[in-house]
Amino acid sequence: MKKVLDFSDVTEARKAIKLEFPGIVSNLSAFPAEIGSWIKKGLFNSVRYDDCVIYIKEGECTNNLFFIAPDFKTASIRIKEAIAEDSIDKTPVVAEIVDRSETESLEFPVMMTLNRMTRTGDTNFRPEKTDGIRDIRENESSIVRELLKSNFNPVCESIPDEEEIKSLAMGGTAKVFIHDGEIKGLMLCSKDKSTIHLRYWWVSPDCRNSGVGSKLLNEFFRLGEGTPRQILWVDIDNINAINKYEHFGFKKESIFDHIHIIKI
């Protein structure tokens, strides 16, 4: 496994596969700037074969595997080969495949499947008291990260690092609910001109069924005013969460994120 030193490695690999084979599949959909930041930090590695290039993005909680190949079968064969050769020496390693099929594509077990839910039109923001809800402060980023790690699946759910949490807070899209001086709820989202994405929404068990969750979600809708689309991803087995999101006007789409466990 070698460090990727320049983004041109990715573009050249994609061109080479396209030239040699009739088809191409890849789960590497991150923006060039994001991949560039991984390269700059020394977190992006590659394993190369004539018919497939495998990339590993290192992370604190998990390592994400990406690939560029002629088809999923070839990708599966080469990933298994890389593991056997110990070319993939990080653990744990997961690979996400987003498509419209409810069945998995890679020949590896699926730990979790997420379903995208979408809400379109006006956010129907309801002005109401937001007592106890405020922006995350810079010195709280580590606390928020630990709450995310302990209340979500850190292997499957791409827990943001402290730098990203601080960035969201500076943009005003990271909120907490404070009760008796402690963080008892949080909501993290990201947005652009057309879409706002609810990334994390959590309330401490001792504060549930008290309206805190609704207030935090209302903050999400307030931040999303003017965006024609609001989205989130939810575990297909979490019926309780799906019902709650449907109550707020979200609808399930035929788009799924299969999270494959490559190596533990």
Side-chain angles (χ1 to χ4, degrees):
M1 192 159 61
K2 295 181 178 180
K3 293 287 184 186
V4 177
L5 302 177
D6 192 86
F7 182 72
S8 62
D9 180 288
V10 177
T11 55
E12 291 302 318
R14 194 180 295 271
K15 285 179 184 177
I17 298 293
K18 279 186 175 181
L19 283 172
E20 291 294 325
F21 301 93
I24 185 170
V25 296
S26 179
N27 65 337
L28 184 56
S29 58
F31 291 113
E34 186 176 11
I35 297 173
S37 71
W38 301 340
I39 294 171
K40 186 177 180 180
K41 294 175 183 176
L43 302 176
F44 206 47
N45 311 282
S46 69
V47 181
R48 302 183 73 93
Y49 297 95
D50 290 340
D51 56 359
C52 180
V53 182
I54 300 166
Y55 295 99
I56 301 289
K57 184 262 176 181
E58 299 174 34
E60 182 184 336
C61 298
T62 190
N63 303 280
N64 296 94
L65 182 145
F66 305 97
F67 58 84
I68 303 171
D71 50 62
F72 288 110
K73 185 172 183 60
T74 300
S76 297
I77 291 170
R78 292 309 187 194
I79 293 168
K80 290 175 183 177
E81 190 174 335
I83 292 171
E85 295 170 347
D86 209 27
S87 296
I88 298 177
D89 56 0
K90 307 289 182 181
T91 56
V93 178
V94 302
E96 296 187 45
I97 308 293
V98 177
D99 58 29
R100 294 187 175 275
S101 172
E102 291 189 59
T103 58
E104 58 271 18
S105 302
L106 287 178
E107 298 172 5
F108 290 88
V110 172
M111 174 175 275
M112 180 185 291
T113 295
L114 305 176
N115 188 189
R116 193 168 80 181
M117 299 186 73
T118 301
R119 189 180 182 281
T120 57
D122 190 271
T123 60
N124 294 327
F125 165 65
R126 306 180 307 280
E128 60 180 48
K129 290 184 178 180
T130 56
D131 296 345
I133 294 177
R134 59 165 172 76
D135 291 328
I136 292 175
R137 293 170 180 166
E138 187 174 351
N139 63 350
E140 293 171 333
S141 58
S142 61
I143 300 171
V144 169
R145 189 164 194 276
E146 287 305 312
L147 284 170
L148 291 172
K149 286 169 64 178
S150 59
N151 289 284
F152 294 87
N153 187 326
V155 174
C156 293
E157 301 193 62
S158 300
I159 304 298
D161 58 25
E162 289 185 39
E163 183 181 330
E164 187 176 359
I165 293 170
K166 288 177 183 177
S167 177
L168 292 171
M170 288 178 64
T173 57
K175 305 288 182 179
V176 288
F177 171 73
I178 305 296
H179 180 68
D180 290 339
E182 293 185 36
I183 296 175
K184 293 292 186 174
L186 56 84
M187 186 281 296
L188 275 66
C189 62
S190 54
K191 64 179 287 189
D192 56 30
K193 290 181 180 179
S194 63
T195 304
I196 185 165
H197 176 195
L198 179 62
R199 296 179 57 184
Y200 295 97
W201 178 40
W202 170 82
V203 177
S204 177
D206 58 324
C207 288
R208 290 174 188 170
N209 301 314
S210 63
V212 173
S214 294
K215 286 183 178 181
L216 285 166
L217 196 59
N218 197 47
E219 275 293 290
F220 167 76
F221 288 133
R222 181 184 68 79
L223 292 167
E225 283 191 297
T227 58
R229 187 175 74 144
Q230 303 92 48
I231 69 168
L232 57 88
W233 292 86
V234 62
D235 184 347
I236 60 171
D237 295 324
N238 193 341
I239 305 303
N240 183 49
I242 291 171
N243 290 338
K244 285 181 180 178
Y245 291 132
E246 288 179 334
H247 172 75
F248 286 101
F250 288 91
K251 295 180 180 179
K252 291 188 286 185
E253 292 186 78
S254 296
I255 299 179
F256 302 91
D257 182 359
H258 304 288
I259 304 171
H260 295 262
I261 295 298
I262 304 300
K263 185 178 179 182
I264 295 180

